[in-house]
């Protein structure tokens, strides 16, 4: 039985059943085979908006289909999500044992303003995702200036100071 057509609006609305992931991958494969890379990229941008808990399953599906490069692109797009969604995506990947993916996602997210990085770090911390919190803060410290790190710490000095030191 063929997969139902991929429906982006339904995918964004809630949990994405494995059948929808299969339809998504089938559509992506079709677009790639037809050389429609712009549409394929738009589809990946849509997938970045899926509920965070669906991303590990999607990563598996893309890997099985030989679309690892598309997974990398999807992670790049997910890095631009609002801070709470970025934190949720990183947390879901880490929780599913895809720490390497979370580690690739988080450093891409530190290009945003310090206030947004602070919000993402606090969300990860509140969710108990200590490993991902450390990865985000380590990337921030490595890639940003000391002044920017101090600005980050000012968002909640008691919480950030021990983690940044």
């Amino acid at each position: 039985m063929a997969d139902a057509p991929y429906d982006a609006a339904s995918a964004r609305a809630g949990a994405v059943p494995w059948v929808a992931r299969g339809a998504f991958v089938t559509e992506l494969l079709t677009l790639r085979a037809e050389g429609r890379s712009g549409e394929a990229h738009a589809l990946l941008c849509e997938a970045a908006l899926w509920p965070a808990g669906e991303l590990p399953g999607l990563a598996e599906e893309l890997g099985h289909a030989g679309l690892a490069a598309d997974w990398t692109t999807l992670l790049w797009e997910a890095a631009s999500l609002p801070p709470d969604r970025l934190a949720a995506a990183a947390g879901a990947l880490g929780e599913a044992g895809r720490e390497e993916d979370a580690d690739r996602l988080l450093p891409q997210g530190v290009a945003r303003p310090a206030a947004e990085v602070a919000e993402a770090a606090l969300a990860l911390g509140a969710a108990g995702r200590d490993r991902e919190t450390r990865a985000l803060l380590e990337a921030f410290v490595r890639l940003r200036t000391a002044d920017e790190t101090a600005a980050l710490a000012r968002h909640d000095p008691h919480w950030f100071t021990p983690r940044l030191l």
Side-chain angles (χ1 to χ4, degrees):
M1 181 169 156
D3 290 333
Y6 172 69
D7 178 11
S10 295
R12 280 193 312 273
V16 181
W18 66 269
V19 173
R21 285 196 306 259
F24 171 86
V25 171
T26 299
E27 176 136 357
L28 187 57
L29 283 166
T30 299
L31 292 171
R32 291 290 184 214
E34 293 173 358
R36 296 163 53 193
S37 60
E39 291 171 74
H41 186 86
L43 196 64
L44 292 167
C45 291
E46 286 285 338
L49 299 173
W50 286 12
E54 297 301 324
L55 294 177
L58 183 56
E60 292 257 334
E61 293 273 341
L62 290 170
H64 290 308
L67 296 169
D70 285 309
W71 173 243
T72 300
T73 301
L74 196 150
L75 284 176
W76 177 259
E77 294 300 333
S80 65
L81 291 171
D84 60 328
R85 302 276 318 271
L86 171 67
L93 291 167
E95 203 169 289
R98 299 190 68 92
E99 291 89 0
E100 189 175 304
D101 288 330
D103 289 349
R104 288 187 348 204
L105 171 65
L106 291 167
Q108 296 171 20
V110 299
R112 62 184 67 225
E116 291 184 20
V117 175
E119 187 179 333
L122 290 167
L124 284 166
R129 303 305 309 169
D130 296 332
R131 187 189 166 290
E132 289 81 12
T133 302
R134 276 192 313 278
L136 178 63
L137 294 177
E138 286 172 7
F140 190 89
V141 168
R142 270 193 325 272
L143 299 171
R144 304 288 286 267
T145 68
D147 287 342
E148 290 169 318
T149 302
L152 176 76
R154 281 193 284 278
H155 290 276
D156 188 336
H158 295 296
W159 192 87
F160 279 104
T161 300
R163 287 166 179 84
L164 290 169
L165 294 175

